[in-house]
Amino acid sequence: MTTQSPPQATSVGSTGTARFALLLVALIWPAQLLTAAGVATGMTSAAIAQHFQTTQIAWFGLAYTIVATVLTPVVARLGDRYGKKRVMLAITAIGLVGDLLVVLSPAYPGVLVGRALAGCYGPIAALAFAAARDIFPPKRVGLASSLIGSSLGLTVALVPLLSGYLLDWFGFRGPLWFVVAGIVVAFALLTTLPDMPGHPTGQRFDVLGSVLLGAATVSLVYGLGQGTAWGWDSPRILGLFAVTVLATVAFVIVERRTADPVVDLRMLTRRNVATVLGGTGLMQGTLYSVATVLTLLALFPAIPGVSAGLGWSGTKIALVTLAGQSLLFATGFLVGKMSARWDPRKPWWAGAAITIAGLLSYAFLHHTIAQIAFSAIVLGLGSGLAIGAVPLLILGSVSPEEQGMANGMNILINGLINAITAQLIFVVMARSGVVLKGTQFYSDASFRDAYLLSAGLAAVALLITLAIPRVLKTSEIHSGGQ
């Protein structure tokens, strides 16, 4: 693999605090808009399912997730080659077209096409963090990166309330128009960034690997979703699973032979990397998937014998879970602050165990305000500890030269597992559900089973990570402990 020294950072230190703040906002807004858009669109899923009378609401999230996941490594390479600002503007423009199509489409297939196009915006966070290293001088890169990440707290606290208000007053298109407006602002802010010229590194685009990975993922997810309707032993389902196997085998062969793979399989042969990325990826992917379950539970109507939804408003569910969401951010921040003292495995293990308890709590305690508030607090505490420890586990398990690849693989694995677990959860929920006037509704057993499945997957993730060997604390890394 050909290597090249990194480009010089574009110093903004001499322009003062105001310029630093403007550039920081220009990176924070696009990066955190990913989370905001996820919350806003997720809150619309119940209303969209009823409006378009569809049993395929799972694909509202899956179309976005699969595209964003597969494109992330490709877009990262494009940013290095053609300049991060140019690439960020391009994917933001494509994402805007997709989000407009979601809002304006009169039919559900058009909505799904829009969601797939919107997925092109998904890699923006990876580019924003990389751009910080190019834009800010060394003494400010750490602060800028920390603020880009920690601003998640404001997103988690405010966006559910805003999305709930817009949903209650303007229907499902209210939060979707909020996402469109946010994308427009993101594009305007990105134009204020300094130019970041591309620097070809000699690396090749692993187009074939990306295509094979996408084919394996789509065929598996689609097969899981259609298995009940078509029959698990039907030729079509068996054909889809055969495509999954063949594409996966071909992907492994290609990745072993290419100099610049999408996934460095050689890294995954090391116990520390495999257990960290595998276990944390399974946990995070499951948590991202199960978030939709609460939205459907709260916002679907209560129809005896048909739907066990609570019939709440968007604002109500946001307020009921606010304490849990805030705790998620606070505990994650605490893990970061204590990273120099703690073995990062300890908050991860504790957080994973509490996360399992939170998911089990949701499985049986999801009928009243008090029960859901309690379950949200337990889950928020656990997931905050666990998610906060993930970057520390990665940092302490790989060399500085491998950090970029490891972070990219983490994002990729999370997205793939998110897509697969989301479809599994919807399959399990549909088994006890009822279809009425073309819309899939869910029973109390549906919601219980979804949380039990998620708790089981989280338990597997915890078991995998119990095998993580010792990792370095951040203080040891900074002092040359590696």
Side-chain angles (χ1 to χ4, degrees):
M1 182 186 301
T2 305
T3 60
Q4 182 171 323
S5 59
Q8 296 294 318
T10 304
S11 176
V12 297
S14 61
T15 59
T17 303
R19 178 63 172 161
F20 173 77
L22 174 61
L23 293 174
L24 190 59
V25 171
L27 291 177
I28 287 176
W29 184 279
Q32 290 305 331
L33 186 61
L34 278 177
T35 303
V39 172
T41 54
M43 192 165 282
T44 65
S45 56
I48 287 176
Q50 295 172 80
H51 177 81
F52 290 106
Q53 297 183 336
T54 178
T55 61
Q56 301 297 320
I57 191 61
W59 283 95
F60 184 69
L62 288 171
Y64 179 97
T65 299
I66 292 173
V67 171
T69 299
V70 174
L71 282 185
T72 293
V74 176
V75 169
R77 296 277 173 84
L78 288 172
D80 290 336
R81 178 168 294 187
Y82 298 107
K84 297 178 182 66
K85 177 181 178 179
R86 183 182 301 175
V87 173
M88 284 193 286
L89 287 170
I91 63 175
T92 301
I94 297 172
L96 176 59
V97 172
D99 284 320
L100 281 170
L101 185 57
V102 171
V103 176
L104 299 174
S105 179
Y108 191 58
V111 171
L112 295 184
V113 172
R115 289 291 286 162
L117 286 174
C120 295
Y121 183 79
I124 193 76
L127 288 177
F129 279 102
R133 294 194 299 270
D134 289 350
I135 294 173
F136 299 110
K139 66 179 180 180
R140 284 185 167 179
V141 169
L143 175 61
S145 299
S146 176
L147 290 173
I148 292 172
S150 62
S151 57
L152 174 67
L154 290 174
T155 306
V156 168
L158 298 179
V159 173
L161 293 172
L162 176 59
S163 299
Y165 173 82
L166 293 173
L167 179 66
D168 296 341
W169 285 93
F170 302 102
F172 70 86
R173 288 191 173 88
L176 297 179
W177 277 117
F178 162 70
V179 173
V180 170
I183 291 281
V184 172
V185 173
F187 188 91
L189 287 171
L190 288 170
T191 62
T192 68
L193 295 175
D195 288 331
M196 290 169 274
H199 297 270
T201 60
Q203 294 181 334
R204 298 179 180 179
F205 292 105
D206 186 11
V207 176
L208 181 56
S210 298
V211 170
L212 290 170
L213 184 61
T217 304
V218 171
S219 58
L220 175 60
V221 171
Y222 190 65
L224 290 173
Q226 297 299 322
T228 302
W230 293 351
W232 292 103
D233 58 351
S234 70
R236 286 185 291 180
I237 293 298
L238 295 177
L240 285 169
F241 289 160
V243 170
T244 300
V245 172
L246 292 174
T248 301
V249 171
F251 173 76
V252 171
I253 294 173
V254 169
E255 295 306 279
R256 285 184 174 276
R257 294 181 177 180
T258 185
D260 303 298
V262 174
V263 176
D264 190 339
L265 298 178
R266 290 176 291 272
M267 284 179 63
L268 291 178
T269 62
R270 288 158 31 197
R271 174 181 156 192
N272 59 343
V273 177
T275 50
V276 166
L277 294 183
T280 61
L282 179 56
M283 177 69 79
Q284 291 182 102
T286 299
L287 286 174
Y288 298 152
S289 299
V290 78
T292 304
V293 177
L294 180 59
T295 303
L296 298 176
L297 168 65
L299 300 182
F300 261 132
I303 305 174
V306 175
S307 172
L310 300 175
W312 289 359
S313 67
T315 304
K316 183 173 181 177
I317 185 58
L319 289 172
V320 170
T321 58
L322 180 59
Q325 297 282 12
S326 301
L327 195 57
L328 185 155
F329 168 69
T331 51
F333 181 78
L334 174 64
V335 171
K337 293 291 288 184
M338 300 299 291
S339 61
R341 303 181 187 179
W342 289 351
D343 177 341
R345 293 176 301 176
K346 293 181 179 179
W348 164 263
W349 288 331
I354 298 171
T355 295
I356 296 168
L359 292 170
L360 290 173
S361 178
Y362 264 123
F364 300 103
L365 302 177
H366 57 250
H367 305 97
T368 66
I369 291 176
Q371 289 179 350
I372 289 182
F374 172 77
S375 298
I377 288 172
V378 177
L379 186 60
L381 174 61
S383 56
L385 287 170
I387 293 174
V390 171
L392 306 178
L393 288 170
I394 296 174
L395 188 66
S397 300
V398 300
S399 67
E401 295 77 17
E402 297 173 323
Q403 190 69 44
M405 173 61 79
N407 286 332
M409 289 167 61
N410 177 52
I411 294 172
L412 185 66
I413 292 171
N414 289 350
L416 293 174
I417 293 178
N418 181 10
I420 295 169
T421 54
Q423 189 67 293
L424 284 173
I425 286 171
F426 274 100
V427 169
V428 167
M429 290 176 67
R431 289 175 58 189
S432 302
V434 174
V435 177
L436 178 65
K437 295 183 178 179
T439 302
Q440 176 72 65
F441 291 95
Y442 303 103
S443 66
D444 188 70
S446 299
F447 296 117
R448 179 202 64 204
D449 292 346
Y451 282 113
L452 288 176
L453 172 61
S454 301
L457 293 171
V460 173
L462 175 57
L463 289 175
I464 292 172
T465 56
L466 289 176
I468 297 175
R470 182 182 181 275
V471 298
L472 299 178
K473 304 174 186 176
T474 55
S475 57
E476 294 172 319
I477 296 171
H478 294 157
S479 63
Q482 189 162 286

